[in-house]
Amino acid sequence: MTLEILGISVLWIFLFGYVIVASIDFGAGFFNAYSLLIGKNHILTNIIKRYLSPVWEVTNVFLVFFFVGIVGFFPQTAFYYGTILLVPVSISLVLLAIRGSYYAFESYGARGHIGYTLTYGIAGLLIPASLSVVFAIAAGGYVDITDGQPVLNYWTLYTSPFAWSIVVLSIAAVLYISAVFLTWYAHKAKDREATNLMRKYALAWAIPLMLSALGIMYEMKFINPESYNNLVNLWWMFAISAVLFIITVVLLWMRKNYGLAVSLLIAQFAVAFFAYGIAQYPYLLYPYLTIYDSFTSTQMAIALVIAFILGLCLLIPSLFLLLKLFLFNKNYVTGKEDNHA
Amino acid sequence: MNDSAVMWSRALTELTLSFHIIYATIGVGIPLMIMIAQWVGLKNNDEHYLLLARRWARGFVITVAIGVVTGTAIGLQLSLLWPNFMELAGQVIALPLFMETFAFFVEAIFLGLYLYTWDRFKNPKRHLLLLIPVAIGASMSAVFITIVNAFMNAPQGFDLVDGELVNIQPVLAMLNPAMPTKVAHVLVTSYMTAAFLLASIAAYRMLRGSKHVYHKKAFHLLLKLGLVFSLAALVVGDFSGKYLAEYQPEKLAAAEWHFETKEDASLVLFGMLDGQEVKYAIKVPYALSVLAHNNPFAEVKGLDQFSNDEQPPLYIHYLFDIMVVIGALLIVVAVSYVLGKWRGWKFISSQSFNRIVVASGPLSLIAVEAGWWFAEVGRQPWILRGYMKTAEAATTSGQVDTMLILFAGLYIVLAIGSIVVLIRMFRNNPIELEIEEHKQVEGCAGQ
């Protein structure tokens, strides 16, 4: 394995980590707001709060890790993506800022403020939509080079069915992932009402998820035939992902083994996410930037890999402690203990 | 090159950073104060200090939230607004940026653990242990990010051959000459700012008539800490002056309106600039030579050694003055308290002294802002001193001005939101009420 592949694999894993934890977070915020609107928030709010409170800050770090890492391993991405993404990423940043701070305001300051809850819920759907546009841009066809500077062609992007499919997929995935996770979490908390409600949402979002995923595959054919061929060659990975998806849905349907359903869900998305990533190889921005021509110096790459390994030695035990004390602690999950400062 | 994009990019970066450092400085300093309070509380078995830690931690969450989201904003804005600089920086200085995310990760994880495990452990010392990684993580992120900034002031660890970067040494780039003084200065002034900010809250409560011993204990602890850290800031500030004389003489010369290279240089305090003529200034003979080289007769380089297009703007003198004067004032406040406590002066328990201490928190934040503006504007016109001018690094994108309005709106909302929430949080739950509730809970448990 070359350092380039190692670098992009590490970053892709962290991006996947962000996709999962952020989906749970964004979806939870949306379901919380939605349940407030339909008058069922007494069922969901406690469960959602109890999960989100200790982890909201950690979610954000996965994102920071990804964008700092990609500039470190592939400095030219700063030039290309930095120049073209000013507007879309600034919008995402404003939404993330509003969402992150309002969560703290709501949970620690003014409890139960309706305006906060709704803003929080809506921002949670707009952020994945605005961030996922980057995937469409990376696939190619929306960037021109004028006078040696990359320029984003907004009109082509906004009228592209491919970009819109990605947006739909990201929203459906957020709601589906979050609903499955919260079904399991509510079940662990022995909250039957919340479990049933979340299970219903999970089943409802499974269909749009699959339809938008198929739509992306179809449109890729016209956007970027090279990646499309790669995708077709990786059909077996998507087949595995589909099987995992079906088993998850069946488990939910039969109200059985929600813990296994969550594991299968994560595996399903991991397989599909990596298959999609492999199909883009070797491009970071089609057709201008590959992982080879943008890679950092060998000295820096080695230094980063060493820092990464040392960092993981700190990170893994800390994350484990976090999971042990909150996610897998019976008294905390069921709400018997509230040791909030 | 797009001139207006350069201007707007600078404005947006300045706006984001100026807003971020308020919350970031608090974020670096407060965990240490919480840790000290909790440690003192456990050691002396004093409920009041434990409550201090608990209440500071609650308020801290709000400031951390703003610090995190604005930190994320500036992290991405670096690439969005300065793509050419980040491409270069990515090759040479990515290591500390990367390490900073790990420090941030650890801090984020343990802050969540600390906040949600109050009274959960049989042995309360375990809970205190959770705070150590929070404080270390917060300080280490400041260390790593300051290293990146130090690199921009004193780049090293690479060679430039025909426009290509070769021979890159990431660790050498981190250990640049500006690093020790910058890192030390940022850390001690953050601790100092946190101490004075919290002291001004205690002073404010006492000014409003609260006679509770809780505030007196906080006041006493924080002014002692304020003394330690402000004296440390003085020492490190002196080292920083010597660093500038050695490695960035144009910044020191511009800050001191030192136009001609000469020996026995005097330090210019206050004053106004009229063309090249300094008016109404207090000149301290030999002091600049002492500041620069520890020798009253040493030669100090003046602005005449630098071509016009490599000189920083001269208004940085005012920023330097603001920072130094506030620093000196705060030392006087802390020294007079500690001396007064020892000699039994009445003045330190008067309402006028409380008023001064109330002002000390906001003043130290102003000093932090002035210090950063001085440091940053003082390295103009360079973004990477000696290698890349700021104008060459900016984005070519045409929408920076609109983004400036967008972010300005965001920061206004965040500033108002955080202040309102913080005030409400503590006004609705004053210490007297919390201690009362605490007693009741204890009483019930005892029966």
Side-chain angles (χ1 to χ4, degrees):
Chain A
M1 184 147 71
T2 62
L3 277 171
E4 287 90 343
I5 305 266
L6 180 68
I8 196 69
S9 307
V10 162
L11 293 172
W12 203 244
I13 290 169
F14 267 82
L15 190 59
F16 176 70
Y18 180 68
V19 167
I20 294 296
V21 291
S23 293
I24 295 173
D25 188 335
F26 294 151
F30 176 78
F31 288 125
N32 192 26
Y34 179 69
S35 67
L36 187 74
L37 283 182
I38 60 167
K40 287 188 176 174
N41 69 313
H42 57 281
I43 306 176
L44 291 184
T45 299
N46 278 336
I47 290 287
I48 289 173
K49 279 277 151 66
R50 219 172 293 142
Y51 165 72
L52 283 184
S53 298
V55 300
W56 66 269
E57 210 193 341
V58 180
T59 308
N60 208 46
V61 196
F62 276 91
L63 178 66
V64 176
F65 187 97
F66 176 76
F67 70 67
V68 169
I70 197 160
V71 173
F73 277 105
F74 306 97
Q76 277 189 30
T77 54
F79 171 68
Y80 280 93
Y81 279 108
T83 308
I84 54 181
L85 289 179
L86 177 69
V87 177
V89 171
S90 291
I91 293 172
S92 309
L93 276 175
V94 169
L95 292 168
L96 272 172
I98 288 179
R99 196 171 180 281
S101 52
Y102 271 46
Y103 182 71
F105 292 175
E106 219 275 330
S107 324
Y108 301 93
R111 271 162 221 267
H113 191 287
I114 295 176
Y116 285 177
T117 314
L118 292 183
T119 314
Y120 185 71
I122 294 163
L125 285 194
L126 294 177
I127 295 166
S130 63
L131 282 177
S132 64
V133 165
V134 180
F135 283 102
I137 293 171
Y142 308 104
V143 177
D144 307 313
I145 300 286
T146 316
D147 301 332
Q149 298 287 341
V151 179
L152 183 60
N153 192 335
Y154 286 97
W155 181 247
T156 325
L157 184 66
Y158 288 143
T159 53
S160 149
F162 177 66
W164 285 107
S165 302
I166 287 192
V167 169
V168 173
L169 174 75
S170 70
I171 293 176
V174 158
L175 294 172
Y176 175 70
I177 292 172
S178 176
V180 176
F181 177 85
L182 289 171
T183 307
W184 171 67
Y185 195 76
H187 181 70
K188 259 179 82 86
K190 297 201 169 52
D191 186 338
R192 279 200 36 207
E193 248 187 313
T195 315
N196 288 335
L197 193 59
M198 289 321 301
R199 173 182 164 270
K200 225 167 67 189
Y201 292 153
L203 292 172
W205 283 102
I207 298 155
L209 176 74
M210 268 304 112
L211 288 180
S212 51
L214 292 173
I216 286 171
M217 300 243 196
Y218 174 74
E219 279 142 18
M220 190 67 127
K221 201 169 168 180
F222 309 106
I223 291 287
N224 182 340
E226 205 177 323
S227 298
Y228 177 74
N229 282 335
N230 293 342
L231 281 176
V232 172
N233 288 335
L234 291 166
W235 66 271
W236 55 276
M237 288 182 84
F238 292 100
I240 292 174
S241 180
V243 170
L244 293 169
F245 169 72
I246 292 165
I247 303 175
T248 314
V249 173
V250 169
L251 284 174
L252 285 169
W253 187 262
M254 296 168 65
R255 298 172 197 273
K256 268 192 189 153
N257 216 337
Y258 293 132
L260 181 63
V262 170
S263 318
L264 293 179
L265 161 104
I266 293 173
Q268 171 214 333
F269 274 90
V271 173
F273 195 76
F274 278 86
Y276 185 83
I278 295 167
Q280 300 294 314
Y281 174 84
Y283 292 101
L284 288 168
L285 176 62
Y286 186 84
Y288 305 110
L289 198 62
T290 70
I291 59 172
Y292 295 101
D293 51 42
S294 64
F295 198 58
T296 189
S297 65
T298 320
Q299 299 96 317
M300 180 56 86
I302 292 169
L304 289 178
V305 169
I306 293 172
F308 179 71
I309 292 169
L310 294 177
L312 279 189
C313 295
L314 271 177
L315 196 58
I316 290 171
S318 317
L319 276 174
F320 179 74
L321 190 63
L322 187 76
L323 293 177
K324 187 171 164 268
L325 283 175
F326 296 112
L327 210 49
F328 298 115
N329 183 289
K330 261 219 164 70
N331 286 340
Y332 178 79
V333 175
T334 52
K336 279 183 193 142
E337 264 183 21
D338 180 16
N339 299 112
H340 176 35
Chain B
M1 203 189 304
N2 184 338
D3 286 330
S4 70
V6 176
M7 186 182 83
W8 293 121
S9 295
R10 287 188 56 186
L12 180 49
T13 309
E14 182 166 5
L15 177 70
T16 302
L17 274 175
S18 301
F19 189 68
H20 175 64
I21 55 172
I22 296 175
Y23 294 90
T25 305
I26 294 173
V28 173
I30 297 229
L32 187 72
M33 305 299 137
I34 299 177
M35 196 167 94
I36 293 173
Q38 195 161 359
W39 179 68
V40 172
L42 282 178
K43 202 180 67 163
N44 300 345
N45 204 6
D46 186 329
E47 194 65 28
H48 288 147
Y49 287 101
L50 295 177
L51 264 175
L52 266 179
R54 192 168 190 162
R55 288 169 68 89
W56 288 344
R58 262 184 237 148
F60 179 60
V61 179
I62 305 294
T63 59
V64 163
I66 311 281
V68 169
V69 296
T70 53
T72 310
I74 188 63
L76 271 163
Q77 276 177 1
L78 284 177
S79 295
L80 297 174
L81 300 174
W82 312 99
N84 298 303
F85 165 69
M86 281 306 276
E87 187 184 353
L88 191 149
Q91 294 173 63
V92 190
I93 200 70
L95 183 60
L97 276 171
F98 199 60
M99 287 159 88
E100 197 233 347
T101 57
F102 281 108
F104 181 28
F105 238 129
V106 168
E107 184 197 349
I109 290 172
F110 281 90
L111 184 64
L113 292 175
Y114 176 78
L115 287 172
Y116 283 87
T117 54
W118 210 282
D119 297 331
R120 177 147 154 191
F121 299 105
K122 286 241 161 55
N123 182 353
K125 276 191 194 125
R126 278 207 184 168
H127 187 237
L128 176 64
L129 289 181
L130 290 175
L131 203 51
I132 296 172
V134 180
I136 292 178
S139 292
M140 288 317 280
S141 358
V143 168
F144 290 128
I145 208 67
T146 311
I147 287 176
V148 177
N149 182 269
F151 172 81
M152 295 163 87
N153 281 280
Q156 68 169 29
F158 63 96
D159 292 317
L160 203 58
V161 180
D162 302 330
E164 292 277 316
L165 292 173
V166 292
N167 203 9
I168 290 166
Q169 299 173 64
V171 179
L172 193 65
M174 283 176 71
L175 302 176
N176 60 72
M179 188 273 263
T181 45
K182 275 219 174 237
V183 166
H185 198 68
V186 165
L187 284 183
V188 293
T189 50
S190 298
Y191 301 146
M192 168 181 163
T193 305
F196 281 110
L197 265 179
L198 295 171
S200 66
I201 296 173
Y204 178 77
R205 292 308 306 161
M206 295 200 285
L207 200 63
R208 296 299 296 263
S210 173
K211 298 257 182 268
H212 207 285
V213 64
Y214 168 89
H215 298 303
K216 290 215 176 74
K217 285 179 181 171
F219 193 83
H220 184 66
L221 175 72
L222 290 164
L223 279 181
K224 277 199 296 188
L225 290 171
L227 177 65
V228 173
F229 292 124
S230 55
L231 286 177
L234 174 74
V235 174
V236 179
D238 180 58
F239 286 141
S240 305
K242 292 180 175 47
Y243 158 78
L244 285 183
E246 180 79 25
Y247 292 93
Q248 259 180 311
E250 75 277 18
K251 194 192 261 186
L252 187 67
E256 277 306 317
W257 291 339
H258 187 62
F259 297 104
E260 286 161 40
T261 305
K262 59 181 176 199
E263 295 164 5
D264 321 335
S266 45
L267 190 78
V268 179
L269 273 180
F270 310 113
M272 275 175 62
L273 199 61
D274 190 6
Q276 278 235 356
E277 206 183 329
V278 182
K279 285 182 176 166
Y280 318 114
I282 303 170
K283 290 193 175 172
V284 189
Y286 306 111
L288 186 59
S289 288
V290 174
L291 178 71
H293 302 291
N294 256 351
N295 170 2
F297 310 109
E299 183 185 88
V300 180
K301 265 194 195 161
L303 280 173
D304 54 354
Q305 304 273 322
F306 301 90
S307 64
N308 275 335
D309 61 341
E310 291 184 3
Q311 291 179 8
L314 292 173
Y315 73 82
I316 62 171
H317 172 74
Y318 303 112
L319 301 171
F320 186 72
D321 273 354
I322 292 173
M323 170 182 78
V324 171
V325 168
I326 293 177
L329 254 172
L330 294 181
I331 292 178
V332 172
V333 172
V335 166
S336 40
Y337 177 79
V338 173
L339 263 184
K341 206 75 192 161
W342 180 45
R343 313 285 320 191
W345 295 344
K346 283 248 157 50
F347 173 65
I348 56 160
S349 36
S350 72
Q351 290 293 53
S352 346
F353 190 71
N354 278 344
R355 272 191 204 101
I356 296 172
V357 178
V358 170
S360 73
L363 277 176
S364 40
L365 277 180
I366 292 171
V368 166
E369 294 281 0
W372 269 115
W373 291 331
F374 161 64
E376 294 304 279
V377 179
R379 82 181 138 88
Q380 292 306 322
W382 302 103
I383 191 166
L384 200 58
R385 185 184 177 274
Y387 290 95
M388 187 187 258
K389 293 242 171 100
T390 310
E392 302 163 61
T395 180
T396 46
S397 180
Q399 296 99 337
V400 189
D401 46 353
T402 325
M403 295 303 113
L404 177 67
I405 298 170
L406 182 74
F407 279 100
L410 171 72
Y411 301 145
I412 292 172
V413 171
L414 292 183
I416 295 174
S418 60
I419 292 169
V420 168
V421 168
L422 277 174
I423 290 177
R424 203 183 289 164
M425 204 162 159
F426 290 100
R427 186 172 289 161
N428 293 347
N429 184 20
I431 184 65
E432 287 81 0
L433 193 72
E434 189 162 353
I435 288 176
E436 206 48 46
E437 279 173 4
H438 220 74
K439 274 185 194 145
Q440 279 169 9
V441 174
E442 300 262 293
C444 294
Q447 279 165 12

